[in-house]
mmCIF file of all heavy atoms in Angstrom:
data_model
loop_
_atom_site.group_PDB
_atom_site.id
_atom_site.type_symbol
_atom_site.label_atom_id
_atom_site.label_comp_id
_atom_site.label_asym_id
_atom_site.label_seq_id
_atom_site.Cartn_x
_atom_site.Cartn_y
_atom_site.Cartn_z
ATOM 1 N N GLN A 330 8.505 -16.485 -21.065
ATOM 2 C CA GLN A 330 7.078 -16.101 -21.248
ATOM 3 C C GLN A 330 6.490 -16.724 -22.502
ATOM 4 O O GLN A 330 5.343 -17.272 -22.455
ATOM 5 C CB GLN A 330 7.011 -14.588 -21.317
ATOM 6 C CG GLN A 330 7.322 -13.931 -19.946
ATOM 7 C CD GLN A 330 7.540 -12.429 -20.032
ATOM 8 O OE1 GLN A 330 7.964 -11.886 -21.063
ATOM 9 N NE2 GLN A 330 7.240 -11.762 -18.924
ATOM 10 N N ALA A 331 7.259 -16.761 -23.592
ATOM 11 C CA ALA A 331 6.775 -17.301 -24.847
ATOM 12 C C ALA A 331 6.548 -18.834 -24.736
ATOM 13 O O ALA A 331 5.516 -19.347 -25.161
ATOM 14 C CB ALA A 331 7.738 -17.000 -25.992
ATOM 15 N N VAL A 332 7.527 -19.515 -24.149
ATOM 16 C CA VAL A 332 7.448 -20.952 -24.027
ATOM 17 C C VAL A 332 6.235 -21.343 -23.133
ATOM 18 O O VAL A 332 5.434 -22.259 -23.456
ATOM 19 C CB VAL A 332 8.734 -21.530 -23.476
ATOM 20 C CG1 VAL A 332 8.534 -22.967 -22.991
ATOM 21 C CG2 VAL A 332 9.841 -21.495 -24.465
ATOM 22 N N LEU A 333 6.075 -20.658 -22.011
ATOM 23 C CA LEU A 333 4.974 -20.959 -21.109
ATOM 24 C C LEU A 333 3.615 -20.664 -21.797
ATOM 25 O O LEU A 333 2.671 -21.489 -21.692
ATOM 26 C CB LEU A 333 5.065 -20.142 -19.848
ATOM 27 C CG LEU A 333 6.254 -20.419 -18.936
ATOM 28 C CD1 LEU A 333 6.230 -19.510 -17.684
ATOM 29 C CD2 LEU A 333 6.256 -21.917 -18.468
ATOM 30 N N ALA A 334 3.515 -19.549 -22.488
ATOM 31 C CA ALA A 334 2.301 -19.205 -23.193
ATOM 32 C C ALA A 334 1.967 -20.230 -24.294
ATOM 33 O O ALA A 334 0.808 -20.662 -24.444
ATOM 34 C CB ALA A 334 2.395 -17.793 -23.759
ATOM 35 N N GLU A 335 2.978 -20.619 -25.043
ATOM 36 C CA GLU A 335 2.710 -21.629 -26.098
ATOM 37 C C GLU A 335 2.298 -22.967 -25.507
ATOM 38 O O GLU A 335 1.423 -23.638 -26.032
ATOM 39 C CB GLU A 335 3.968 -21.817 -26.934
ATOM 40 C CG GLU A 335 4.227 -20.662 -27.880
ATOM 41 C CD GLU A 335 5.697 -20.663 -28.402
ATOM 42 O OE1 GLU A 335 6.305 -21.716 -28.394
ATOM 43 O OE2 GLU A 335 6.169 -19.552 -28.766
ATOM 44 N N ALA A 336 2.930 -23.310 -24.349
ATOM 45 C CA ALA A 336 2.540 -24.592 -23.744
ATOM 46 C C ALA A 336 1.096 -24.565 -23.223
ATOM 47 O O ALA A 336 0.392 -25.538 -23.280
ATOM 48 C CB ALA A 336 3.526 -24.888 -22.624
ATOM 49 N N ILE A 337 0.726 -23.409 -22.700
ATOM 50 C CA ILE A 337 -0.675 -23.253 -22.193
ATOM 51 C C ILE A 337 -1.628 -23.448 -23.357
ATOM 52 O O ILE A 337 -2.634 -24.152 -23.325
ATOM 53 C CB ILE A 337 -0.915 -21.907 -21.502
ATOM 54 C CG1 ILE A 337 -0.171 -21.817 -20.181
ATOM 55 C CG2 ILE A 337 -2.410 -21.668 -21.264
ATOM 56 C CD1 ILE A 337 -0.139 -20.459 -19.532
ATOM 57 N N SER A 338 -1.283 -22.824 -24.505
ATOM 58 C CA SER A 338 -2.126 -22.897 -25.714
ATOM 59 C C SER A 338 -2.293 -24.352 -26.181
ATOM 60 O O SER A 338 -3.309 -24.771 -26.694
ATOM 61 C CB SER A 338 -1.548 -22.109 -26.868
ATOM 62 O OG SER A 338 -1.479 -20.758 -26.521
ATOM 63 N N ALA A 339 -1.193 -25.143 -25.951
ATOM 64 C CA ALA A 339 -1.241 -26.578 -26.388
ATOM 65 C C ALA A 339 -1.874 -27.470 -25.351
ATOM 66 O O ALA A 339 -1.945 -28.687 -25.511
ATOM 67 C CB ALA A 339 0.177 -27.019 -26.715
ATOM 68 N N GLY A 340 -2.296 -26.896 -24.213
ATOM 69 C CA GLY A 340 -2.872 -27.719 -23.168
ATOM 70 C C GLY A 340 -1.836 -28.441 -22.347
ATOM 71 O O GLY A 340 -2.129 -29.450 -21.739
ATOM 72 N N GLY A 341 -0.605 -27.914 -22.263
ATOM 73 C CA GLY A 341 0.393 -28.454 -21.453
ATOM 74 C C GLY A 341 1.185 -29.582 -22.150
ATOM 75 O O GLY A 341 0.981 -29.889 -23.280
ATOM 76 N N THR A 342 2.139 -30.149 -21.377
ATOM 77 C CA THR A 342 2.954 -31.230 -21.908
ATOM 78 C C THR A 342 2.655 -32.496 -21.162
ATOM 79 O O THR A 342 2.694 -32.542 -19.951
ATOM 80 C CB THR A 342 4.466 -30.867 -21.660
ATOM 81 O OG1 THR A 342 4.785 -29.614 -22.305
ATOM 82 C CG2 THR A 342 5.349 -31.969 -22.162
ATOM 83 N N THR A 343 2.372 -33.541 -21.904
ATOM 84 C CA THR A 343 2.153 -34.842 -21.303
ATOM 85 C C THR A 343 3.355 -35.715 -21.646
ATOM 86 O O THR A 343 3.534 -36.107 -22.800
ATOM 87 C CB THR A 343 0.883 -35.531 -21.773
ATOM 88 O OG1 THR A 343 -0.208 -34.755 -21.350
ATOM 89 C CG2 THR A 343 0.739 -36.944 -21.215
ATOM 90 N N LEU A 344 4.212 -36.013 -20.641
ATOM 91 C CA LEU A 344 5.280 -36.945 -20.879
ATOM 92 C C LEU A 344 4.748 -38.358 -20.537
ATOM 93 O O LEU A 344 4.955 -39.302 -21.256
ATOM 94 C CB LEU A 344 6.493 -36.621 -19.969
ATOM 95 C CG LEU A 344 7.225 -35.322 -20.314
ATOM 96 C CD1 LEU A 344 8.431 -35.169 -19.392
ATOM 97 C CD2 LEU A 344 7.711 -35.367 -21.766
ATOM 98 N N LYS A 345 4.117 -38.420 -19.375
ATOM 99 C CA LYS A 345 3.639 -39.720 -18.894
ATOM 100 C C LYS A 345 2.336 -39.532 -18.158
ATOM 101 O O LYS A 345 1.264 -39.901 -18.668
ATOM 102 C CB LYS A 345 4.705 -40.294 -17.977
ATOM 103 C CG LYS A 345 4.489 -41.711 -17.648
ATOM 104 C CD LYS A 345 5.774 -42.367 -17.129
ATOM 105 C CE LYS A 345 6.333 -41.742 -15.800
ATOM 106 N NZ LYS A 345 5.649 -42.260 -14.676
ATOM 107 N N ASP A 346 2.368 -38.867 -17.018
ATOM 108 C CA ASP A 346 1.215 -38.846 -16.134
ATOM 109 C C ASP A 346 0.219 -37.727 -16.440
ATOM 110 O O ASP A 346 -1.008 -37.903 -16.223
ATOM 111 C CB ASP A 346 1.681 -38.630 -14.671
ATOM 112 C CG ASP A 346 2.640 -39.700 -14.226
ATOM 113 O OD1 ASP A 346 2.437 -40.857 -14.652
ATOM 114 O OD2 ASP A 346 3.579 -39.371 -13.476
ATOM 115 N N PHE A 347 0.695 -36.574 -16.905
ATOM 116 C CA PHE A 347 -0.178 -35.421 -16.879
ATOM 117 C C PHE A 347 -1.488 -35.626 -17.711
ATOM 118 O O PHE A 347 -1.419 -36.100 -18.854
ATOM 119 C CB PHE A 347 0.534 -34.171 -17.381
ATOM 120 C CG PHE A 347 -0.355 -32.976 -17.469
ATOM 121 C CD1 PHE A 347 -0.903 -32.406 -16.350
ATOM 122 C CD2 PHE A 347 -0.726 -32.524 -18.719
ATOM 123 C CE1 PHE A 347 -1.780 -31.327 -16.435
ATOM 124 C CE2 PHE A 347 -1.635 -31.431 -18.829
ATOM 125 C CZ PHE A 347 -2.115 -30.848 -17.690
ATOM 126 N N ARG A 348 -2.569 -35.246 -17.134
ATOM 127 C CA ARG A 348 -3.857 -35.216 -17.873
ATOM 128 C C ARG A 348 -4.565 -33.927 -17.568
ATOM 129 O O ARG A 348 -4.513 -33.400 -16.461
ATOM 130 C CB ARG A 348 -4.740 -36.419 -17.393
ATOM 131 C CG ARG A 348 -4.314 -37.751 -17.913
ATOM 132 C CD ARG A 348 -4.444 -37.839 -19.457
ATOM 133 N NE ARG A 348 -4.040 -39.126 -19.982
ATOM 134 C CZ ARG A 348 -2.763 -39.446 -20.328
ATOM 135 N NH1 ARG A 348 -1.801 -38.557 -20.067
ATOM 136 N NH2 ARG A 348 -2.512 -40.619 -20.827
ATOM 137 N N ARG A 349 -5.239 -33.410 -18.602
ATOM 138 C CA ARG A 349 -6.106 -32.263 -18.417
ATOM 139 C C ARG A 349 -7.269 -32.691 -17.574
ATOM 140 O O ARG A 349 -7.503 -33.883 -17.342
ATOM 141 C CB ARG A 349 -6.581 -31.751 -19.793
ATOM 142 C CG ARG A 349 -5.418 -31.469 -20.690
ATOM 143 C CD ARG A 349 -5.758 -30.866 -22.019
ATOM 144 N NE ARG A 349 -7.113 -31.021 -22.465
ATOM 145 C CZ ARG A 349 -7.569 -30.618 -23.648
ATOM 146 N NH1 ARG A 349 -6.721 -30.014 -24.497
ATOM 147 N NH2 ARG A 349 -8.824 -30.768 -24.003
ATOM 148 N N SER A 350 -8.068 -31.730 -17.143
ATOM 149 C CA SER A 350 -9.162 -32.062 -16.253
ATOM 150 C C SER A 350 -10.217 -32.932 -16.974
ATOM 151 O O SER A 350 -11.023 -33.551 -16.300
ATOM 152 C CB SER A 350 -9.810 -30.803 -15.752
ATOM 153 O OG SER A 350 -10.266 -30.017 -16.796
ATOM 154 N N ASP A 351 -10.238 -32.943 -18.297
ATOM 155 C CA ASP A 351 -11.180 -33.786 -19.004
ATOM 156 C C ASP A 351 -10.564 -35.132 -19.377
ATOM 157 O O ASP A 351 -11.135 -35.935 -20.054
ATOM 158 C CB ASP A 351 -11.692 -33.101 -20.261
ATOM 159 C CG ASP A 351 -10.548 -32.685 -21.226
ATOM 160 O OD1 ASP A 351 -9.392 -33.082 -20.962
ATOM 161 O OD2 ASP A 351 -10.811 -32.016 -22.201
#
Side-chain angles (χ1 to χ4, degrees):
Chain A
Q330 292 167 330
V332 164
L333 294 178
E335 285 162 24
I337 291 171
S338 299
T342 299
T343 295
L344 292 182
K345 193 160 62 81
D346 302 325
F347 175 69
R348 285 295 180 274
R349 306 184 339 184
S350 59
D351 58 8

